[in-house]
Amino acid sequence: MAATPRVSAVIFDLDGTLLDTERATRDVLNEFLAAYGKVPDKEKEERRLGQMYRESTTGIIADYGLPLTVEEYAEAIYPLYLKRWQKAKPLPGVERLVKHLHRNGVPLALASNSVRRNIDHKLLRLEDWKDCFSVILGGDQVPHGKPSPDIFLEAAKRLGVNPSSCLVIEDSLVGVQGARASGAKVVAVPSLQSQRQRYSIADAILCSLLDFHPELWGLPPFEDRIQGALPIEPLFLNAQIGHAISKSLHMVIAGNSTYEYVPDQISGIFFGWAKLEAGGVSRTVISIGWDLSLRTVERVMHIYFLDSCRKITTEEPLKLLLVGYIRKLQTTENISQALTITAEDQTIARDALNLPVFSEYAKLENGFSPGMPS
């Protein structure tokens, strides 16, 4: 950015931006439609991302020929969603950012296309920091939902600021469109990696909020990095060793549990601990990205072993515990180049993993945390 745009308030979307509700509820529609002998259409469901609830529901009923009214559909599927919402977790970097802005007196609002009743249920997962938001708005509290600017204009009004002084953080295209129409600045954190190119109208596009730098928007900067490393909520992966790229660098083949434990927004250079099947534990640096050159967008991971391990074999089971973040990938054009783990990355990880905030995870001889998938 040539000049620092100054904002005085921040407005967040909820689903797919603050909470990983979309991933937590992906199987709900499958389960519901199966009772009618139907299977979800992936392209149609991706286009529904961010829509108002009534618009989305009406579309689902029409697309799959369901013998239900909107009200009957809502009543039948609501308990399935309610159960899954309780399992949704904050997305990477979210709690850090929200608490940081609140501590520094930045007015915060939450503006979601969800109806207010649903928002309140989802916020039960955020009870320790939901009070950071002085304004909470649902799509049923304004005349028109996103991509209309109504909800952002109302949020700015209730915050007591001009919309042009607001920064909106959104994951959906309709949300980005509505925010731009309101006159606000917009940071997009797309939920679907395959659609990143569609977000060009945003002022900035990030993979996750771990890459958000408040000072670029005239907001107080973070001061929580430790020797170049950022502590993160631990992420667990089951995986296998892929082919060797060099002596200490290998491809990683993600296991099925990666889908459950590692959000799609995770991208960049991370570090932590690896446990090989035969019992060897090593400090590691892991680069994670998405190969957008393929027809099917795929997650790609490289792992660098910082400690001397016995001979590592292809397809050997591997458990990973990621505890820190270093930086974003430098390019998205060439995935092999983007995933390069530099000597500086290795040094930062080595030094960080000797510090108490990270070394507490070193006691892994008897297996990882009980939360680790088996």
Side-chain angles (χ1 to χ4, degrees):
M1 298 178 187
T4 301
R6 299 195 66 82
V7 299
S8 56
V10 180
I11 302 172
F12 290 89
D13 173 50
L14 177 60
D15 299 298
T17 300
L18 292 182
L19 271 182
D20 202 1
T21 49
E22 289 161 0
R23 197 160 54 116
T25 59
R26 275 179 186 169
D27 292 335
V28 168
L29 188 61
N30 301 47
E31 182 180 337
F32 187 81
L33 291 179
Y36 295 89
K38 309 286 185 179
V39 177
D41 182 299
K42 182 179 178 181
E43 291 187 6
K44 289 179 180 178
E45 297 316 313
E46 286 185 356
R47 287 197 295 270
R48 264 188 269 276
L49 185 67
Q51 286 183 348
M52 289 285 289
Y53 183 76
R54 191 171 189 86
E55 179 185 4
S56 173
T57 300
T58 301
I60 289 171
I61 292 171
D63 286 342
Y64 301 109
L66 300 180
L68 301 169
T69 65
V70 170
E71 290 71 22
E72 289 169 339
Y73 173 89
E75 183 178 352
I77 203 168
Y78 186 74
L80 299 178
Y81 275 110
L82 190 60
K83 180 179 179 181
R84 302 298 202 289
W85 287 334
Q86 307 315 310
K87 298 180 179 180
K89 297 179 180 179
L91 283 156
V94 164
E95 186 168 1
R96 172 198 186 211
L97 176 57
V98 170
K99 288 187 173 181
H100 168 77
L101 295 176
H102 181 65
R103 279 196 305 268
N104 284 278
V106 179
L108 304 179
L110 191 155
S112 169
N113 259 358
S114 290
V115 298
R116 182 57 193 266
R117 178 186 71 161
N118 293 354
I119 291 173
D120 291 338
H121 282 300
K122 294 168 187 176
L123 289 180
L124 292 174
R125 289 287 304 176
L126 311 179
E127 58 182 314
D128 61 330
W129 50 280
K130 69 180 181 182
D131 291 340
C132 295
F133 299 98
S134 55
V135 173
I136 298 176
L137 283 172
D140 56 336
Q141 294 177 281
V142 291
H144 304 95
K146 308 167 190 178
S148 163
D150 289 3
I151 198 165
F152 300 112
L153 295 173
E154 181 64 22
K157 179 181 177 182
R158 295 192 185 192
L159 287 171
V161 299
N162 191 294
S164 63
S165 298
C166 292
L167 177 66
V168 173
I169 300 179
E170 269 279 358
D171 77 298
S172 71
L173 188 57
V174 294
V176 171
Q177 292 168 336
R180 284 305 300 262
S182 75
K185 307 292 188 302
V186 191
V187 168
V189 189
S191 294
L192 299 175
Q193 302 304 311
S194 60
Q195 296 186 6
R196 291 180 66 81
Q197 69 278 6
R198 301 178 62 192
Y199 287 75
S200 57
I201 63 171
D203 294 286
I205 306 173
L206 306 179
C207 284
S208 80
L209 287 177
L210 292 173
D211 295 324
F212 185 84
H213 294 280
E215 65 274 15
L216 296 180
W217 306 94
L219 297 167
F222 287 121
E223 296 179 348
D224 56 353
R225 278 189 172 264
I226 304 171
Q227 296 182 15
L230 175 66
I232 63 171
E233 188 70 22
L235 296 171
F236 303 98
L237 294 82
N238 270 345
Q240 287 183 333
I241 296 292
H243 70 263
I245 301 170
S246 65
K247 182 179 179 181
S248 297
L249 184 67
H250 291 73
M251 292 283 292
V252 174
I253 303 170
N256 292 333
S257 66
T258 298
Y259 174 85
E260 299 175 25
Y261 288 85
V262 182
D264 291 351
Q265 290 89 337
I266 283 293
S267 175
I269 308 297
F270 296 81
F271 61 87
W273 302 89
K275 181 176 177 63
L276 295 161
E277 185 179 46
V281 173
S282 172
R283 296 173 297 172
T284 62
V285 185
I286 299 108
S287 55
I288 304 175
W290 290 88
D291 190 343
L292 305 179
S293 67
L294 305 175
R295 190 167 186 176
T296 302
V297 176
E298 293 183 1
R299 193 196 299 266
V300 186
M301 295 188 286
H302 290 177
I303 182 169
Y304 186 93
F305 292 93
L306 294 169
D307 298 321
S308 298
C309 295
R310 58 175 181 74
K311 183 176 175 61
I312 298 169
T313 58
T314 302
E315 297 186 3
E316 180 176 3
L318 174 73
K319 290 183 177 181
L320 296 172
L321 175 60
L322 309 185
V323 298
Y325 179 65
I326 298 175
R327 62 175 175 85
K328 67 179 182 179
L329 301 184
Q330 297 303 314
T331 177
T332 57
E333 301 299 322
N334 183 316
I335 189 61
S336 295
Q337 182 181 346
L339 292 174
T340 299
I341 296 171
T342 67
E344 182 179 6
D345 296 330
Q346 297 169 35
T347 298
I348 290 173
R350 280 194 184 93
D351 292 344
L353 287 167
N354 288 326
L355 300 173
V357 67
F358 300 109
S359 63
E360 63 177 283
Y361 299 102
K363 303 169 185 177
L364 306 173
E365 290 79 3
N366 297 317
F368 281 8
S369 158
M372 183 73 184
S374 60

